């Protein structure tokens, strides 16, 4: 069945004990998701409720329809830079359009079974753009972390640096102190978590947010809060509204939508693979992509932002005892209850605290050790990871991924072509070839004959014997169309010079390629032998 949510297969052996675990895990993740959802939305240039509504609606749909048992969906830090850039350049209505279009792309990716292709993106590219996004998230939070007076942060790197430097003398000591205290508490909570006893079950982000809100309210600190900047958050879900759609806008949104879809696919499937390793299960990648597509197509009609699988919340879900998608649905319901009954309390949450939380998330999101370990890897790997990182930071994620994939492709072609080799068959192995060099030559080819390694045959063309040429392809694992064309050109050249060409050892994919190209009709029937020994015997008979 092409569409089968994991939820339908999760009830075999399900009992009250497992339901209790799922409910408790869902409540825990729901509480953890609250500050993150608001922080991600604010950092993306949106109102805090956009993040909460996305966690509720999109997160619920992803758990209900997804292909993973324990993955939690919602707004993610990886989207911050992309969403902020779209909002600044095209506006919120076009962000909603791009999000809906990305949902269509994601669904089609799953429908056409392209989920496994995401795994072919090299790890160097993934690390490069993940670290680049983490760096940009940290950079985007400097404004609220220091309480700087900047009306609107630019989306581009150099303009952001210029704006921060220009406003450096406007920093707010109260905001900086609260942000540093919040960040310090988050770090200490993680370091000493095992010594906190029953308190260890409380999420550090939630504890930090509550304490920062209480301190801000008691001392009436002169800093920005959700209430002063956004007027608080609504205590109800938004109503369904059609998003403005026009062909003119849609034309410009194709590239941003593809970027959102690609990033969402990578992030969600990477998260699902991590979850698989923790619960010793296997997700259905194409079902997950279709669920992500439905969620991202739906959420813009409720004023939300792009959603994907979230690693931190998924790991929290697993560590809290979750076993089925029920926990993800409970997580969405928990957020809904918080919005309905506790929304007025959110107006006093200080933005400096949310900035500290995002700084903490960005640091944990990046794989910074990989930069320290770069000297252990080959130069092409270093160039790829650093190029993707700097291009993500300075230019654009789309350009960074394109360049990264191109560099990885070139490196792969070079490595595979360097592993392919051609060697002369020795007379010591085949006595019949003794004193026949220049008249009867035999070559063994290893590896792949493809467009990056056709030079192997071109070298043979330059040194053709006078009577017979034998090619042993027993150790060739792959031939592409370029390689097949080169073999046919070699056969044509041999025919012109009245040289007999003998092919030995065809098997598996090379044999299939020869059959498909009708190469058997090009040479006489006595030109093909199962191994080099029989070919040499026939040539020297």
């Amino acid at each position: 069945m092409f569409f089968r949510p994991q939820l339908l297969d999760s009830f075999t052996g399900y009992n009250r004990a497992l339901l209790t675990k799922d409910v408790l895990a869902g409540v825990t993740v729901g509480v953890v998701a609250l500050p993150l959802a608001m922080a991600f939305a604010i950092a993306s240039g949106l109102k805090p409720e956009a993040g909460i509504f996305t966690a509720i609606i999109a997160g619920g749909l992803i758990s209900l329809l997804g292909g993973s048992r324990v993955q939690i969906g919602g707004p993610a830090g990886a989207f911050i830079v992309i969403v902020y850039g779209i909002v600044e350049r095209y506006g919120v209505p076009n962000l909603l359009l791009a999000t809906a279009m990305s949902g269509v792309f994601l669904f089609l990716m799953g429908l056409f079974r392209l989920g496994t292709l995401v795994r072919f993106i090299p790890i160097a590219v993934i690390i490069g753009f993940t670290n680049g996004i983490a760096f940009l998230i940290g950079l985007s939070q400097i404004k609220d972390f220091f309480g700087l007076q900047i009306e609107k942060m630019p989306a581009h790197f150099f303009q952001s640096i210029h704006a921060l430097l220009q406003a450096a003398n406007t920093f707010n000591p109260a905001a900086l102190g609260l942000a540093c205290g919040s960040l310090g508490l988050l770090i200490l909570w993680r370091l000493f978590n095992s010594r906190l006893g029953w308190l260890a079950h409380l999420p550090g982000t939630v504890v930090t947010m509550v304490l920062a809100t209480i301190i801000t309210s008691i001392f009436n600190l002169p800093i920005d809060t959700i209430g002063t900047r956004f007027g608080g958050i609504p205590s109800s879900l938004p109503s369904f509204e059609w998003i403005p759609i026009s062909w003119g806008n849609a034309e410009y949104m194709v590239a941003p939508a593809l970027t959102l879809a690609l990033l969402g696919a990578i992030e969600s499937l990477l998260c699902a693979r991590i979850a698989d390793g923790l619960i010793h299960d296997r997700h259905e990648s194409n079902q997950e992509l279709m669920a992500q597509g439905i969620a991202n197509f739906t959420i813009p009609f409720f004023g939300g932002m792009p959603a994907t699988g979230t690693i931190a919340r998924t790991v929290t879900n697993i560590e809290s005892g979750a076993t089925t998608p029920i926990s993800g649905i409970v997580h969405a319901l928990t957020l809904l209850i918080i919005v309905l009954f506790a929304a007025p309390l959110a107006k006093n949450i200080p933005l400096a605290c949310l900035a500290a939380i995002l700084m903490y998330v960005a640091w944990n999101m990046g794989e910074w050790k990989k930069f320290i370990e770069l000297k252990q890897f080959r130069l092409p790997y270093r160039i790829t990871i650093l190029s993707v990182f700097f291009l993500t930071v300075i230019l654009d994620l789309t350009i960074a991924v394109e360049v990264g994939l191109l560099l990885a492709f070139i490196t792969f072609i070079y490595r595979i072509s360097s592993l392919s080799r051609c060697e002369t068959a020795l007379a010591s192995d085949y006595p019949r070839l003794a004193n026949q060099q220049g008249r009867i030559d035999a070559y063994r080819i290893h590896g792949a004959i493809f467009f990056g390694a056709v030079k192997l045959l071109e070298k043979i063309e330059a040194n053709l014997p006078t009577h017979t040429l034998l090619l042993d392809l027993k150790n060739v694992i792959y031939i592409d169309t370029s390689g097949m064309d080169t073999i046919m050109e070699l056969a044509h050249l041999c025919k012109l010079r009245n040289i007999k060409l003998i092919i030995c050892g065809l098997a598996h994919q090379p044999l299939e390629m020869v059959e498909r190209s009708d190469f058997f009709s090009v040479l006489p029937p006595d030109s093909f032998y199962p191994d080099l020994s029989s070919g040499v015997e026939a040539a020297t008979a």
Side-chain angles (χ1 to χ4, degrees), residues 121-122 124-126 129 262 380-381 383-392 395-411:
I121 297 178
V125 176
I126 292 176
F129 77 68
L262 178 61
Y381 180 92
I383 292 175
T384 301
I385 194 171
L386 291 176
S387 297
V388 175
F389 174 77
F390 286 113
L391 287 172
T392 299
L395 292 180
D396 178 72
L397 176 65
T398 306
I399 296 173
V401 172
E402 289 172 353
V403 171
L405 289 176
L406 177 62
L407 291 173
F409 173 74
I410 294 172
T411 301

Side-chain angles (χ1 to χ4, degrees), residues 174 178 211-223:
L178 187 69
L211 289 177
T213 303
I214 292 173
I215 291 171
T216 302
S217 301
I218 291 176
F219 295 100
N220 196 25
L221 296 180
I223 58 177

Side-chain angles (χ1 to χ4, degrees), residues 305-519:
M305 59 187 292
T308 185
T310 57
I311 295 176
R313 275 160 277 173
T314 297
V315 172
T316 301
N317 190 40
I318 295 169
E319 291 177 346
S320 300
T323 58
T324 72
I326 293 294
S327 63
I329 297 172
V330 172
H331 134 269
L333 293 175
T334 300
L335 282 169
L336 175 60
I337 292 170
I338 293 173
V339 167
L340 293 178
F341 296 101
L345 301 177
K347 66 180 182 180
N348 292 324
I349 297 175
L351 298 182
C353 172
L354 295 182
I357 290 174
L358 277 183
M359 289 271 198
Y360 180 75
V361 169
W363 177 257
N364 288 292
M365 174 182 171
E367 297 188 54
W368 311 109
K369 286 184 178 179
K370 297 295 183 182
F371 285 164
I372 300 174
E373 298 169 354
L374 277 180
K375 59 183 179 182
Q376 302 175 11
F377 298 97
R378 293 177 179 271
L379 182 61
Y381 180 92
R382 285 183 250 170
I383 292 175
T384 301
I385 194 171
L386 291 176
S387 297
V388 175
F389 174 77
F390 286 113
L391 287 172
T392 299
V393 171
I394 296 173
L395 292 180
D396 178 72
L397 176 65
T398 306
I399 296 173
V401 172
E402 289 172 353
V403 171
L405 289 176
L406 177 62
L407 291 173
F409 173 74
I410 294 172
T411 301
F412 175 77
I413 297 303
Y414 173 77
R415 293 291 297 157
I416 295 298
S417 62
S418 66
L419 293 174
S420 301
R421 68 183 192 278
C422 176
E423 56 187 31
T424 305
L426 301 175
S428 58
D429 296 328
Y430 303 95
R432 284 175 173 265
L433 292 178
N435 302 318
Q436 295 285 350
Q437 187 174 5
R439 183 174 179 272
I440 301 176
D441 288 346
Y443 295 92
R444 284 172 165 169
I445 299 178
H446 299 257
I449 304 176
F450 70 114
F451 64 89
V454 293
K455 62 181 183 296
L456 297 176
L457 297 180
E458 292 173 354
K459 289 180 180 179
I460 295 174
E461 287 181 5
N463 298 281
L464 289 175
T466 58
H467 186 270
T468 305
L469 172 66
L470 295 98
L471 294 182
D472 181 14
L473 304 184
K474 182 180 71 173
N475 296 309
V476 173
I477 59 174
Y478 175 74
I479 299 176
D480 73 349
T481 52
S482 297
M484 198 65 238
D485 284 345
T486 307
I487 292 174
M488 297 184 79
E489 288 175 10
L490 177 62
H492 181 67
L493 184 59
C494 287
K495 184 177 181 180
L496 291 176
R497 297 189 184 182
N498 200 27
I499 299 170
K500 184 174 180 61
L501 176 62
I502 294 178
I503 305 293
C504 308
L506 281 172
H508 308 300
Q509 191 274 343
L511 175 60
E512 180 189 344
M513 193 66 185
V514 166
E515 291 173 341
R516 282 166 46 198
S517 61
D518 200 26
F519 185 60

Side-chain angles (χ1 to χ4, degrees), residues 5 11 18 59 68 71 79 100 145 201 222-223 240 279 284 287 291 324 336 342 378 383 437 456 484 509:
F11 295 114
L18 294 178
S68 172
Q71 176 151 278
F79 281 132
F145 195 93
H201 297 289
I223 58 177
F240 180 92
I279 65 172
E284 215 300 302
Q287 180 64 39
T324 72
L336 175 60
R378 293 177 179 271
I383 292 175
Q437 187 174 5
L456 297 176
M484 198 65 238
Q509 191 274 343

